[in-house]
Amino acid sequence: MKKRVLAAFAALGLALVAAPATAQASPSGSTACESGVACFYDSVWANTVPKKYSYPSTSCTALPFVAKALINATERRIALYKDTACTQLILVEPANSFHSYPSHEVRMFRAL
């Protein structure tokens, strides 16, 4: 009987210690990129807080900063442009990929 009570207290203690960690949501400033989202970073290391676009549009979209990395967690290709008129194509990123651009300055994008 004593072993059962100790085992129950031990299990309860582990549950109380583990519960807060599993109950916490990721912070709003998370660097993670979820499925269906294109995440643009102002660092080639993708270690800053990204600007996230859920299911990006086929219309040209201006970025709030010069992007240096992209995690494309969408099922669509994304065209990247170096100008704000969406006329100077840099390259097209494939779906579900990550790339950084140390020698490019991405200012606009659109899904294809």
XYZ file of all heavy atoms in Angstrom:
840
model
N 0.823 -1.193 0.000
C 0.000 0.000 0.000
C 0.870 1.259 0.000
O 0.595 2.204 -0.713
C -0.926 -0.048 1.219
C -1.720 1.204 1.417
S -3.125 1.169 0.337
C -4.030 2.510 0.945
N 1.908 1.229 0.846
C 2.778 2.387 0.955
C 3.476 2.668 -0.381
O 3.625 3.819 -0.786
C 3.815 2.136 2.055
C 4.682 3.325 2.363
C 5.595 3.012 3.537
C 6.475 4.197 3.844
N 7.371 3.932 4.960
N 3.851 1.598 -1.108
C 4.501 1.769 -2.404
C 3.554 2.416 -3.415
O 3.958 3.231 -4.224
C 5.004 0.427 -2.929
C 6.212 -0.086 -2.203
C 6.690 -1.373 -2.819
C 7.898 -1.899 -2.050
N 8.382 -3.164 -2.588
N 2.275 2.037 -3.382
C 1.276 2.611 -4.302
C 1.087 4.101 -4.040
O 0.981 4.894 -4.966
C -0.058 1.885 -4.167
C -0.068 0.534 -4.782
C -1.449 -0.030 -4.763
N -1.397 -1.460 -4.951
C -2.396 -2.279 -4.737
N -3.542 -1.802 -4.299
N -2.276 -3.554 -4.946
N 1.014 4.469 -2.770
C 0.826 5.880 -2.415
C 2.044 6.690 -2.874
O 1.911 7.759 -3.456
C 0.591 6.033 -0.892
C 0.616 7.501 -0.482
C -0.733 5.397 -0.502
N 3.244 6.174 -2.634
C 4.449 6.865 -3.064
C 4.508 6.978 -4.593
O 4.891 8.019 -5.131
C 5.692 6.155 -2.535
C 5.939 6.287 -1.028
C 7.135 5.446 -0.619
C 6.151 7.735 -0.640
N 4.119 5.911 -5.267
C 4.103 5.941 -6.728
C 3.099 6.969 -7.237
O 3.359 7.690 -8.195
C 3.790 4.556 -7.286
N 1.941 7.064 -6.585
C 0.916 8.036 -6.990
C 1.426 9.457 -6.782
O 1.245 10.324 -7.637
C -0.372 7.804 -6.208
N 2.062 9.722 -5.639
C 2.618 11.051 -5.395
C 3.729 11.384 -6.386
O 3.831 12.508 -6.865
C 3.136 11.174 -3.959
C 2.061 11.483 -2.957
C 1.800 10.628 -1.900
C 1.308 12.642 -3.071
C 0.804 10.909 -0.994
C 0.311 12.938 -2.161
C 0.044 12.057 -1.106
N 4.560 10.410 -6.696
C 5.631 10.631 -7.666
C 5.054 10.968 -9.037
O 5.513 11.877 -9.718
C 6.532 9.406 -7.753
N 4.018 10.229 -9.458
C 3.385 10.491 -10.751
C 2.730 11.867 -10.768
O 2.821 12.607 -11.753
C 2.351 9.409 -11.059
N 2.079 12.245 -9.653
C 1.449 13.553 -9.554
C 2.503 14.657 -9.621
O 2.334 15.655 -10.316
C 0.645 13.665 -8.255
C -0.031 15.013 -7.998
C -1.023 15.326 -9.106
C -0.717 15.008 -6.642
N 3.605 14.464 -8.940
C 4.687 15.446 -8.970
C 5.245 15.629 -10.366
O 5.480 16.740 -10.824
N 5.441 14.520 -11.089
C 5.926 14.615 -12.472
C 4.914 15.319 -13.357
O 5.266 16.105 -14.212
C 6.236 13.227 -13.019
C 7.508 12.577 -12.476
C 7.629 11.150 -13.009
C 8.722 13.384 -12.860
N 3.632 15.043 -13.160
C 2.596 15.685 -13.971
C 2.569 17.189 -13.721
O 2.412 17.979 -14.641
C 1.234 15.060 -13.665
N 2.735 17.596 -12.464
C 2.722 19.020 -12.146
C 3.939 19.736 -12.726
O 3.856 20.866 -13.172
C 2.662 19.226 -10.631
C 1.335 18.839 -9.969
C 1.448 18.974 -8.461
C 0.201 19.694 -10.494
N 5.070 19.070 -12.721
C 6.279 19.672 -13.269
C 6.191 19.760 -14.787
O 6.557 20.755 -15.385
C 7.527 18.862 -12.842
C 8.754 19.321 -13.605
C 7.735 18.998 -11.342
N 5.664 18.736 -15.443
C 5.598 18.694 -16.902
C 4.455 19.524 -17.466
O 4.542 20.015 -18.572
C 5.473 17.248 -17.381
N 3.394 19.705 -16.735
C 2.202 20.378 -17.258
C 2.458 21.795 -17.741
O 2.048 22.149 -18.830
C 1.081 20.351 -16.221
N 3.142 22.654 -16.984
C 3.339 24.010 -17.492
C 4.093 24.062 -18.810
O 3.793 24.865 -19.662
C 4.138 24.694 -16.374
C 3.830 23.920 -15.149
C 3.643 22.503 -15.627
N 5.048 23.196 -19.005
C 5.823 23.209 -20.247
C 4.970 22.822 -21.435
O 5.110 23.366 -22.515
C 7.025 22.267 -20.128
N 4.073 21.875 -21.275
C 3.252 21.447 -22.397
C 2.066 22.373 -22.613
O 1.525 22.420 -23.699
C 2.742 20.006 -22.184
O 2.025 19.947 -20.960
C 3.887 19.028 -22.150
N 1.678 23.124 -21.603
C 0.516 23.994 -21.727
C 0.869 25.349 -22.339
O -0.001 26.059 -22.786
C -0.132 24.198 -20.368
N 2.142 25.714 -22.336
C 2.532 27.025 -22.844
C 2.462 27.071 -24.364
O 2.930 26.173 -25.043
C 3.958 27.358 -22.417
C 4.090 27.613 -20.938
C 5.526 27.877 -20.548
O 6.453 27.616 -21.302
N 5.720 28.402 -19.351
N 1.883 28.129 -24.861
C 1.867 28.351 -26.301
C 3.179 29.008 -26.692
O 3.834 29.648 -25.878
C 0.696 29.253 -26.674
N 3.553 28.861 -27.958
C 4.775 29.522 -28.397
C 4.545 31.025 -28.371
O 3.453 31.501 -28.645
C 5.165 29.049 -29.791
O 4.152 29.348 -30.704
N 5.563 31.798 -28.031
C 5.401 33.242 -27.949
C 5.056 33.850 -29.304
O 5.400 33.297 -30.343
C 6.761 33.736 -27.445
C 7.707 32.620 -27.653
C 6.906 31.356 -27.739
N 4.395 34.999 -29.266
C 3.968 35.635 -30.519
C 5.162 36.038 -31.381
O 5.046 36.165 -32.579
C 3.098 36.849 -30.220
O 3.848 37.786 -29.483
N 6.322 36.222 -30.772
C 7.510 36.589 -31.508
C 8.342 35.381 -31.897
O 9.546 35.481 -32.046
N 7.716 34.253 -32.080
C 8.428 33.011 -32.367
C 9.107 33.058 -33.729
O 8.605 33.655 -34.669
C 7.434 31.842 -32.338
O 8.047 30.664 -32.785
N 10.264 32.393 -33.822
C 10.970 32.308 -35.097
C 10.505 31.103 -35.911
O 10.966 30.908 -37.023
C 12.495 32.218 -34.877
O 12.771 31.068 -34.083
C 13.035 33.461 -34.210
N 9.601 30.304 -35.368
C 9.111 29.109 -36.058
C 8.215 29.480 -37.238
O 7.567 30.517 -37.247
C 8.341 28.224 -35.089
N 8.187 28.610 -38.224
C 7.357 28.811 -39.406
C 6.459 27.589 -39.575
O 6.948 26.482 -39.769
C 8.248 29.014 -40.631
S 7.344 29.609 -42.060
N 5.164 27.804 -39.519
C 4.201 26.719 -39.582
C 3.850 26.357 -41.022
O 4.085 27.116 -41.938
C 2.908 27.115 -38.831
C 3.111 27.497 -37.385
C 3.590 28.931 -37.195
O 3.416 29.763 -38.110
O 4.165 29.210 -36.135
N 3.248 25.206 -41.189
C 2.809 24.742 -42.504
C 1.803 25.725 -43.104
O 0.933 26.239 -42.404
C 2.170 23.358 -42.349
O 1.733 22.891 -43.599
N 1.938 25.980 -44.393
C 1.027 26.891 -45.082
C 1.436 28.350 -44.977
O 0.702 29.234 -45.402
N 2.618 28.610 -44.417
C 3.064 29.977 -44.167
C 4.404 30.224 -44.862
O 5.265 29.350 -44.890
C 3.201 30.231 -42.645
C 3.715 31.626 -42.355
C 1.875 29.996 -41.945
N 4.562 31.417 -45.417
C 5.852 31.872 -45.936
C 6.422 32.824 -44.898
O 5.773 33.795 -44.518
C 5.680 32.578 -47.268
N 7.622 32.521 -44.413
C 8.256 33.322 -43.363
C 9.505 34.005 -43.915
O 10.441 33.327 -44.348
C 8.638 32.437 -42.184
S 7.224 31.659 -41.380
N 9.492 35.319 -43.895
C 10.621 36.114 -44.375
C 11.405 36.651 -43.185
O 10.814 37.129 -42.217
C 10.122 37.278 -45.232
C 9.570 36.836 -46.549
C 8.241 36.487 -46.671
C 10.383 36.769 -47.668
C 7.720 36.079 -47.892
C 9.872 36.367 -48.894
C 8.539 36.014 -49.005
N 12.726 36.575 -43.277
C 13.617 37.001 -42.199
C 14.557 38.095 -42.683
O 14.965 38.090 -43.844
C 14.459 35.817 -41.715
C 13.647 34.687 -41.139
C 13.087 33.724 -41.978
C 13.450 34.574 -39.782
C 12.340 32.687 -41.463
C 12.708 33.523 -39.253
C 12.157 32.588 -40.096
O 11.416 31.554 -39.585
N 14.942 38.988 -41.780
C 15.903 40.029 -42.142
C 17.338 39.602 -41.843
O 18.249 40.410 -41.866
C 15.564 41.353 -41.453
C 15.614 41.276 -39.938
O 15.876 40.184 -39.382
O 15.385 42.319 -39.296
N 17.533 38.318 -41.594
C 18.854 37.754 -41.330
C 19.052 36.516 -42.195
O 18.119 35.721 -42.368
C 18.955 37.363 -39.848
O 20.016 36.460 -39.628
N 20.245 36.319 -42.732
C 20.508 35.121 -43.542
C 20.444 33.856 -42.703
O 20.293 32.759 -43.235
C 21.868 35.187 -44.277
C 21.876 36.285 -45.311
C 23.012 35.329 -43.305
N 20.527 33.972 -41.387
C 20.488 32.810 -40.496
C 19.060 32.438 -40.109
O 18.854 31.419 -39.443
C 21.309 33.079 -39.235
C 22.710 33.427 -39.572
C 23.298 34.656 -39.466
C 23.699 32.571 -40.136
N 24.592 34.614 -39.913
C 24.864 33.331 -40.332
C 23.718 31.228 -40.491
C 26.035 32.805 -40.867
C 24.885 30.710 -41.019
C 26.018 31.484 -41.200
N 18.071 33.233 -40.477
C 16.658 32.976 -40.132
C 16.493 32.794 -38.631
O 15.743 31.941 -38.171
C 16.124 31.771 -40.905
N 17.181 33.610 -37.860
C 17.105 33.506 -36.404
C 16.462 34.726 -35.759
O 16.539 34.912 -34.559
C 18.506 33.272 -35.822
C 19.475 34.392 -36.165
O 19.147 35.293 -36.934
N 20.663 34.325 -35.611
N 15.834 35.559 -36.565
C 15.118 36.728 -36.059
C 13.617 36.450 -36.149
O 13.197 35.441 -36.698
C 15.475 37.970 -36.891
O 15.166 37.701 -38.269
C 16.946 38.329 -36.758
N 12.813 37.351 -35.630
C 11.360 37.186 -35.711
C 10.933 37.436 -37.154
O 11.195 38.504 -37.705
C 10.640 38.151 -34.752
C 9.128 38.045 -34.906
C 11.055 37.866 -33.311
N 10.294 36.454 -37.788
C 9.944 36.613 -39.201
C 8.651 37.391 -39.414
O 7.826 37.510 -38.517
C 9.748 35.165 -39.662
C 9.193 34.491 -38.444
C 9.924 35.139 -37.277
N 8.497 37.884 -40.626
C 7.210 38.399 -41.087
C 6.537 37.219 -41.763
O 7.085 36.614 -42.692
C 7.404 39.565 -42.075
C 6.120 40.116 -42.623
C 5.258 40.720 -41.538
C 3.990 41.292 -42.151
N 2.976 41.605 -41.199
N 5.360 36.834 -41.268
C 4.690 35.621 -41.735
C 3.493 35.961 -42.622
O 2.719 36.872 -42.316
C 4.209 34.797 -40.539
C 5.340 34.338 -39.642
C 4.815 33.548 -38.463
C 5.955 33.084 -37.570
N 5.467 32.248 -36.467
N 3.357 35.196 -43.701
C 2.238 35.356 -44.634
C 1.575 33.998 -44.813
O 2.144 33.103 -45.436
C 2.737 35.893 -45.979
C 3.321 37.279 -45.883
C 4.676 37.459 -45.632
C 2.515 38.407 -46.023
C 5.218 38.731 -45.530
C 3.057 39.683 -45.922
C 4.400 39.835 -45.676
O 4.934 41.103 -45.571
N 0.364 33.860 -44.260
C -0.378 32.612 -44.403
C -0.960 32.531 -45.799
O -1.613 33.469 -46.257
C -1.514 32.552 -43.387
O -0.999 32.517 -42.094
N -0.718 31.431 -46.458
C -1.221 31.185 -47.812
C -1.071 32.437 -48.671
O -2.030 33.117 -48.987
C -2.661 30.684 -47.748
C -2.770 29.440 -46.919
C -3.178 29.496 -45.588
C -2.405 28.208 -47.443
C -3.230 28.343 -44.815
C -2.461 27.055 -46.670
C -2.873 27.136 -45.359
O -2.919 26.005 -44.590
N 0.161 32.779 -49.030
C 0.445 34.032 -49.733
C -0.340 34.204 -51.034
O -0.645 33.236 -51.722
C 1.940 33.959 -50.014
C 2.444 32.695 -49.472
C 1.334 31.963 -48.843
N -0.610 35.441 -51.340
C -1.402 35.823 -52.511
C -0.569 35.757 -53.790
O 0.655 35.820 -53.761
C -1.903 37.248 -52.297
O -2.460 37.767 -53.473
N -1.262 35.685 -54.917
C -0.594 35.754 -56.215
C -0.352 37.211 -56.622
O 0.311 37.467 -57.615
C -1.417 35.038 -57.306
O -2.722 35.603 -57.340
C -1.499 33.549 -57.025
N -0.867 38.147 -55.839
C -0.586 39.573 -56.062
C 0.751 39.909 -55.425
O 1.146 39.305 -54.437
C -1.668 40.433 -55.410
O -2.923 40.141 -55.955
N 1.432 40.890 -55.979
C 2.708 41.313 -55.409
C 2.485 41.907 -54.022
O 1.559 42.682 -53.813
C 3.371 42.339 -56.309
S 4.087 41.565 -57.765
N 3.337 41.508 -53.109
C 3.241 41.946 -51.719
C 4.577 42.552 -51.305
O 5.624 41.908 -51.445
C 2.900 40.758 -50.800
O 1.695 40.148 -51.255
C 2.745 41.196 -49.360
N 4.526 43.778 -50.786
C 5.743 44.446 -50.316
C 6.105 43.935 -48.933
O 5.236 43.725 -48.080
C 5.528 45.949 -50.272
N 7.388 43.734 -48.705
C 7.877 43.313 -47.399
C 8.198 44.536 -46.548
O 8.600 45.574 -47.088
C 9.128 42.452 -47.568
C 8.872 41.096 -48.224
C 10.170 40.472 -48.711
C 8.165 40.178 -47.250
N 8.051 44.447 -45.233
C 8.328 45.596 -44.368
C 9.825 45.841 -44.141
O 10.203 46.818 -43.504
C 7.642 45.222 -43.058
C 7.634 43.733 -43.057
C 7.494 43.319 -44.498
N 10.665 44.949 -44.645
C 12.112 45.070 -44.543
C 12.736 44.337 -45.714
O 12.052 43.625 -46.445
C 12.631 44.492 -43.217
C 12.132 43.094 -42.925
C 12.673 41.984 -43.565
C 11.120 42.889 -42.010
C 12.211 40.695 -43.307
C 10.645 41.604 -41.742
C 11.202 40.512 -42.390
N 14.019 44.506 -45.913
C 14.731 43.765 -46.952
C 14.953 42.355 -46.413
O 15.613 42.170 -45.388
C 16.073 44.437 -47.298
C 16.881 43.562 -48.229
C 15.831 45.801 -47.921
N 14.365 41.380 -47.091
C 14.468 39.993 -46.628
C 15.793 39.383 -47.051
O 16.263 39.587 -48.173
C 13.308 39.174 -47.188
N 16.375 38.615 -46.142
C 17.631 37.924 -46.403
C 17.477 36.405 -46.328
O 18.425 35.676 -46.604
C 18.709 38.384 -45.413
C 19.069 39.852 -45.563
C 19.442 40.196 -46.981
C 20.860 40.570 -47.162
N 21.234 40.805 -48.541
N 16.289 35.923 -45.944
C 16.031 34.482 -45.902
C 14.530 34.243 -45.986
O 13.726 35.096 -45.613
C 16.582 33.862 -44.625
N 14.178 33.067 -46.492
C 12.767 32.667 -46.628
C 12.632 31.195 -46.282
O 13.375 30.356 -46.802
C 12.278 32.904 -48.059
C 10.972 32.220 -48.478
C 9.785 32.725 -47.669
C 10.726 32.391 -49.966
N 11.679 30.910 -45.416
C 11.212 29.535 -45.247
C 9.861 29.497 -45.938
O 8.908 30.146 -45.506
C 11.078 29.130 -43.767
C 12.444 29.131 -43.092
C 10.420 27.756 -43.658
C 12.418 28.828 -41.612
N 9.794 28.770 -47.029
C 8.556 28.642 -47.780
C 7.900 27.324 -47.366
O 8.182 26.271 -47.921
C 8.822 28.663 -49.288
C 7.542 28.528 -50.089
O 6.450 28.573 -49.537
N 7.686 28.361 -51.387
N 7.028 27.383 -46.371
C 6.339 26.196 -45.869
C 4.970 26.049 -46.527
O 4.047 25.514 -45.945
C 6.221 26.266 -44.350
N 4.853 26.551 -47.763
C 3.598 26.452 -48.504
C 3.741 25.405 -49.611
O 4.832 24.915 -49.874
C 3.210 27.800 -49.151
O 4.078 28.056 -50.259
C 3.286 28.939 -48.152
N 2.647 25.118 -50.269
C 2.634 24.182 -51.398
C 2.810 24.899 -52.731
O 2.667 24.287 -53.779
C 1.317 23.390 -51.395
C 1.139 22.501 -50.176
C 2.183 21.403 -50.093
O 2.574 20.857 -51.149
O 2.637 21.095 -48.974
N 3.111 26.199 -52.683
C 3.257 27.002 -53.909
C 4.670 27.529 -54.048
O 5.365 27.757 -53.062
C 2.281 28.171 -53.863
C 0.833 27.679 -53.707
C -0.109 28.795 -53.792
N -0.190 29.193 -55.202
C -1.099 30.002 -55.664
N -1.992 30.523 -54.863
N -1.125 30.324 -56.943
N 5.074 27.759 -55.285
C 6.343 28.433 -55.530
C 6.164 29.914 -55.222
O 5.067 30.447 -55.330
C 6.768 28.246 -56.981
C 7.054 26.801 -57.333
C 7.395 26.612 -58.791
N 6.310 27.114 -59.628
C 6.472 27.791 -60.770
N 7.680 28.018 -61.245
N 5.444 28.218 -61.458
N 7.253 30.567 -54.838
C 7.194 31.995 -54.517
C 8.256 32.732 -55.331
O 9.437 32.387 -55.287
C 7.389 32.243 -53.010
C 6.205 31.634 -52.245
C 7.533 33.729 -52.710
C 6.229 31.863 -50.765
N 7.781 33.730 -56.081
C 8.680 34.583 -56.870
C 9.155 35.725 -55.987
O 8.360 36.347 -55.269
C 7.950 35.126 -58.094
N 10.461 36.003 -56.042
C 11.072 37.052 -55.228
C 11.594 38.160 -56.133
O 12.218 37.890 -57.162
C 12.222 36.464 -54.409
C 11.859 35.270 -53.536
C 13.103 34.685 -52.897
C 10.841 35.666 -52.488
N 11.354 39.397 -55.720
C 11.718 40.561 -56.519
C 12.599 41.512 -55.725
O 12.415 41.680 -54.519
C 10.468 41.307 -56.978
C 9.566 40.456 -57.835
C 8.587 39.647 -57.264
C 9.709 40.441 -59.211
C 7.768 38.848 -58.051
C 8.902 39.652 -60.009
C 7.928 38.851 -59.419
O 7.136 38.062 -60.202
N 13.533 42.180 -56.434
C 14.426 43.108 -55.745
C 13.936 44.543 -55.764
O 14.493 45.390 -55.079
C 15.838 43.021 -56.300
C 16.027 43.484 -57.716
C 17.497 43.357 -58.103
C 17.733 43.741 -59.532
N 19.159 43.626 -59.865
N 12.885 44.821 -56.528
C 12.361 46.187 -56.576
C 10.954 46.227 -55.985
O 10.336 45.201 -55.739
C 12.341 46.709 -58.008
C 11.367 45.942 -58.891
O 11.198 44.720 -58.673
O 10.782 46.553 -59.788
N 10.459 47.437 -55.757
C 9.123 47.581 -55.172
C 8.024 47.650 -56.232
O 6.856 47.804 -55.889
C 9.049 48.834 -54.279
O 9.440 49.973 -55.042
C 9.961 48.687 -53.072
N 8.390 47.532 -57.505
C 7.398 47.514 -58.586
C 7.088 46.085 -59.037
O 6.266 45.876 -59.918
C 7.888 48.343 -59.763
N 7.797 45.129 -58.464
C 7.580 43.714 -58.784
C 7.920 43.414 -60.248
O 7.237 42.649 -60.913
C 6.136 43.322 -58.470
S 5.992 41.774 -57.583
N 9.001 44.034 -60.731
C 9.410 43.822 -62.122
C 10.780 43.178 -62.244
O 11.097 42.598 -63.281
C 9.429 45.161 -62.899
O 10.330 46.053 -62.255
C 8.037 45.771 -62.967
N 11.612 43.269 -61.220
C 12.966 42.734 -61.283
C 13.048 41.416 -60.495
O 13.397 41.402 -59.319
C 13.967 43.754 -60.750
C 13.996 45.016 -61.580
C 14.900 46.084 -60.977
O 15.411 45.942 -59.878
N 15.100 47.165 -61.717
N 12.745 40.342 -61.212
C 12.726 39.016 -60.589
C 14.137 38.588 -60.199
O 15.068 38.670 -61.002
C 12.129 37.995 -61.566
C 12.055 36.558 -61.084
C 11.044 36.413 -59.959
C 11.703 35.638 -62.250
N 14.281 38.140 -58.967
C 15.568 37.598 -58.501
C 15.598 36.101 -58.748
O 16.484 35.583 -59.404
C 15.790 37.891 -57.007
C 15.878 39.378 -56.750
C 17.041 37.174 -56.509
C 15.926 39.756 -55.280
N 14.607 35.420 -58.207
C 14.508 33.977 -58.393
C 13.154 33.481 -57.926
O 12.373 34.228 -57.342
C 15.635 33.239 -57.660
C 15.842 33.541 -56.185
C 15.067 32.584 -55.316
C 17.316 33.410 -55.872
N 12.888 32.215 -58.194
C 11.641 31.573 -57.768
C 11.998 30.445 -56.814
O 12.772 29.556 -57.158
C 10.848 31.027 -58.984
C 9.613 30.276 -58.515
C 10.468 32.165 -59.926
N 11.436 30.529 -55.617
C 11.674 29.509 -54.592
C 10.678 28.367 -54.744
O 9.484 28.608 -54.878
C 11.510 30.098 -53.190
C 12.650 30.948 -52.754
C 13.949 30.182 -52.618
O 13.946 28.947 -52.486
O 14.978 30.843 -52.660
N 11.147 27.126 -54.690
C 10.219 26.001 -54.752
C 9.393 25.888 -53.468
O 9.747 26.471 -52.439
C 11.141 24.788 -54.909
C 12.473 25.238 -54.443
C 12.537 26.718 -54.611
N 8.307 25.158 -53.547
C 7.462 24.905 -52.375
C 8.250 24.133 -51.334
O 9.171 23.372 -51.656
C 6.225 24.127 -52.789
N 7.903 24.340 -50.073
C 8.487 23.617 -48.938
C 10.013 23.634 -48.954
O 10.661 22.592 -48.995
C 7.960 22.180 -48.898
C 6.467 22.171 -48.686
O 5.979 22.699 -47.697
N 5.736 21.589 -49.617
N 10.575 24.835 -48.921
C 12.031 24.962 -48.975
C 12.513 26.106 -48.087
O 11.729 26.934 -47.630
C 12.491 25.198 -50.410
O 12.038 26.465 -50.851
N 13.822 26.135 -47.872
C 14.471 27.224 -47.153
C 15.668 27.695 -47.961
O 16.436 26.867 -48.476
C 14.965 26.772 -45.776
C 15.946 27.739 -45.174
C 15.506 28.938 -44.640
C 17.297 27.484 -45.179
C 16.408 29.860 -44.114
C 18.213 28.394 -44.646
C 17.758 29.576 -44.110
N 15.810 29.005 -48.072
C 16.989 29.581 -48.716
C 17.312 30.907 -48.049
O 16.417 31.607 -47.564
C 16.762 29.812 -50.213
C 16.859 28.572 -51.013
N 15.768 27.819 -51.323
C 17.920 27.924 -51.534
C 16.145 26.762 -52.027
N 17.449 26.800 -52.167
N 18.584 31.245 -48.066
C 19.002 32.570 -47.603
C 19.663 33.287 -48.781
O 20.091 32.652 -49.747
C 19.947 32.468 -46.411
O 21.113 31.774 -46.760
N 19.714 34.609 -48.684
C 20.164 35.430 -49.800
C 21.203 36.448 -49.334
O 20.912 37.634 -49.216
C 18.974 36.156 -50.434
C 17.765 35.283 -50.557
C 16.702 35.411 -49.670
C 17.710 34.285 -51.516
C 15.607 34.573 -49.766
C 16.618 33.444 -51.601
C 15.571 33.598 -50.726
O 14.494 32.770 -50.803
N 22.426 36.023 -49.078
C 23.430 36.974 -48.610
C 23.774 38.046 -49.644
O 24.152 39.156 -49.279
C 24.643 36.106 -48.279
C 24.397 34.789 -48.905
C 22.931 34.666 -49.155
N 23.608 37.749 -50.924
C 23.973 38.728 -51.958
C 22.767 39.333 -52.675
O 22.937 40.043 -53.661
C 24.912 38.076 -52.983
O 24.273 36.986 -53.597
N 21.553 39.064 -52.190
C 20.340 39.638 -52.788
C 19.556 40.409 -51.733
O 19.655 40.119 -50.545
C 19.429 38.542 -53.356
C 20.014 37.802 -54.512
N 20.292 38.382 -55.721
C 20.384 36.505 -54.632
C 20.796 37.495 -56.550
N 20.875 36.331 -55.911
N 18.761 41.358 -52.212
C 17.871 42.117 -51.331
C 16.446 41.925 -51.846
O 16.059 42.497 -52.866
C 18.268 43.585 -51.314
C 19.626 43.810 -50.684
C 19.985 45.274 -50.549
O 19.338 46.126 -51.195
O 20.924 45.558 -49.797
N 15.674 41.146 -51.132
C 14.300 40.846 -51.526
C 13.375 41.879 -50.906
O 13.348 42.053 -49.689
C 13.891 39.418 -51.069
C 12.455 39.136 -51.443
C 14.836 38.386 -51.680
N 12.617 42.574 -51.781
C 11.709 43.621 -51.302
C 10.241 43.291 -51.531
O 9.368 43.834 -50.848
C 12.052 44.936 -51.976
C 13.385 45.496 -51.504
C 13.666 46.872 -52.096
N 14.820 47.465 -51.484
C 16.076 47.194 -51.840
N 16.316 46.340 -52.814
N 17.084 47.787 -51.222
N 9.950 42.411 -52.501
C 8.564 42.035 -52.788
C 8.529 40.561 -53.177
O 9.539 39.988 -53.565
C 7.973 42.884 -53.925
C 7.800 44.339 -53.549
S 6.781 45.255 -54.708
C 5.154 44.744 -54.229
N 7.325 39.991 -53.097
C 7.144 38.595 -53.480
C 5.708 38.362 -53.918
O 4.833 39.192 -53.694
C 7.474 37.666 -52.295
C 6.414 37.648 -51.235
C 5.426 36.666 -51.231
C 6.363 38.628 -50.259
C 4.438 36.663 -50.276
C 5.384 38.625 -49.297
C 4.418 37.634 -49.307
N 5.500 37.218 -54.556
C 4.136 36.750 -54.884
C 4.178 35.246 -55.071
O 5.190 34.678 -55.469
C 3.561 37.448 -56.105
C 4.230 37.110 -57.397
C 3.613 37.930 -58.553
N 4.226 37.577 -59.794
C 3.716 36.695 -60.666
N 2.575 36.103 -60.411
N 4.343 36.425 -61.790
N 3.065 34.617 -54.766
C 2.950 33.170 -54.957
C 2.618 32.885 -56.411
O 1.951 33.678 -57.084
C 1.859 32.603 -54.057
N 3.101 31.781 -56.909
C 2.835 31.383 -58.301
C 1.914 30.189 -58.333
O 1.777 29.453 -57.407
C 4.148 31.038 -59.009
C 5.174 32.177 -59.078
C 6.452 31.693 -59.741
C 4.601 33.347 -59.849
